[in-house]
């Protein structure tokens, strides 16, 4: 009998510059295909750059932002972007952007912006937490 | 069920925002009523050096927040004895340290934790 493990994943690095978000994505895909559960992916620090809607990589390259969005659409994985990390770096939730006259469409589909509490709740609910990107 | 969470600091605090965001995680863990330990190892001992002036880097001094950890039910900050000694530091040079622990005991603490965090 194989053991089913519940994971909470944290991504701390921006896409393309580091391998962290690729590794995290590959890990999540492998975990799911092995029958494990991914409770939540939490984007913290520079990891919030994974959630910018307007990322436009060249057509023959992997589209990291879309890849996450697909993970949410197909596997219903909760993709949470830390609100304070995001605001510090100029990624605003539509409702906040409206209040401060910021750009309202920055967040890519499939992601939601919320507090650090969701990370800690994810950790507590999971058997293991894994952090990608120092 | 309450879990045992250990937060390892192995680098100085100021110069970027990482430590500040890590500290937020520590406080959040405490808010969830978990058993939380904060341990300084390696160059992390420099994190708590007194008389730091991060204002000169135009950065917020986050050291005072460590002094408030007990208000959040966190049992203070522990420093690894060997790390201090290897860097020629003594405990009186550090800010708000509650416990000194030999490396072997730090290892045991990590072995029995449910989750370990670093940044």
């Amino acid at each position: 009998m194989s053991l089913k493990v519940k994971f909470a994943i944290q991504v701390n690095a921006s896409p393309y510059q580091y391998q962290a978000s690729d590794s995290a994505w590959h890990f999540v895909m492998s975990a799911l295909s092995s029958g494990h559960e991914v409770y939540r992916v939490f984007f913290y620090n520079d990891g919030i750059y994974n959630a910018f809607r307007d990322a436009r990589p060249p057509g023959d390259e992997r589209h990291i932002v879309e890849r996450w969005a697909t993970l949410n659409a197909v596997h219903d994985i909760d993709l949470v972007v830390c609100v304070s990390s995001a605001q510090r770096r100029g990624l605003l939730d539509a409702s906040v952007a409206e209040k401060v006259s910021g750009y309202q469409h920055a967040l890519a589909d499939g992601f939601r912006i919320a507090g650090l509490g969701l990370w800690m709740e994810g950790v507590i609910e999971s058997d293991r937490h894994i952090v990608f990107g120092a | 069920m309450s879990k045992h969470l250990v937060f390892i600091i192995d680098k100085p605090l100021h110069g970027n925002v990482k430590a500040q965001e890590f500290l937020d995680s520590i406080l959040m863990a405490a808010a969830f009523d978990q058993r939380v330990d904060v341990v300084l190892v390696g160059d992390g001992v420099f994190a708590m050096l007194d008389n730091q002036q991060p204002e000169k880097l135009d950065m917020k001094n986050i050291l005072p927040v460590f002094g408030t950890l007990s208000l959040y039910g966190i049992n203070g900050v522990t420093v690894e004895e060997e790390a201090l000694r290897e860097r020629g530091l003594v405990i009186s040079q550090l800010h708000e340290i509650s416990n000194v622990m030999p490396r072997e005991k730090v290892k045991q603490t990590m072995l029995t934790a449910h989750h370990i965090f670093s940044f």
Side-chain angles (χ1 to χ4, degrees), chain A residues 129, chain B residues 3-9 22 26 35-39 106 109-118:
Chain A
H129 81 274
Chain B
K3 284 184 164 180
H4 180 204
L5 311 182
V6 176
F7 291 81
I8 301 289
I9 295 177
F22 189 66
I26 298 176
R35 184 182 151 208
V36 174
D37 281 318
V38 181
V39 187
V106 172
T109 303
M110 290 169 74
L111 271 175
T112 55
H114 291 104
H115 293 271
I116 299 171
F117 302 84
S118 62

Side-chain angles (χ1 to χ4, degrees), chain A residues 12 134, chain B residues 8-13 16 18-20 22 117-119:
Chain A
N12 282 342
Chain B
I8 301 289
I9 295 177
D10 64 352
K11 47 180 82 68
L13 299 180
N16 60 49
K18 278 183 179 172
Q20 198 175 331
F22 189 66
F117 302 84
S118 62
F119 70 97

Side-chain angles (χ1 to χ4, degrees), chain A residues 44-45 88 124 126 129, chain B residues 3 20-21 24 32 115-116:
Chain A
Y44 201 37
N45 296 109
R88 191 176 266 135
I124 293 163
S126 300
H129 81 274
Chain B
K3 284 184 164 180
Q20 198 175 331
E21 295 187 331
D24 290 340
F32 273 81
H115 293 271
I116 299 171

Side-chain angles (χ1 to χ4, degrees), chain A residues 76-126:
Chain A
D76 201 25
I77 302 293
D78 192 17
L79 306 177
V80 176
V81 179
C82 172
V83 63
S84 54
S85 289
Q87 291 194 6
R88 191 176 266 135
R89 293 168 178 81
L91 175 62
L92 303 181
D93 193 51
S95 61
V96 175
E98 197 181 352
K99 280 190 205 126
V100 299
S101 304
Y103 179 52
Q104 293 180 35
H105 310 287
L107 188 69
D109 288 337
F111 294 85
R112 61 182 177 129
I113 293 185
L116 191 56
L118 285 191
W119 167 240
M120 208 37 74
E121 190 240 354
V123 168
I124 293 163
E125 288 296 320
S126 300

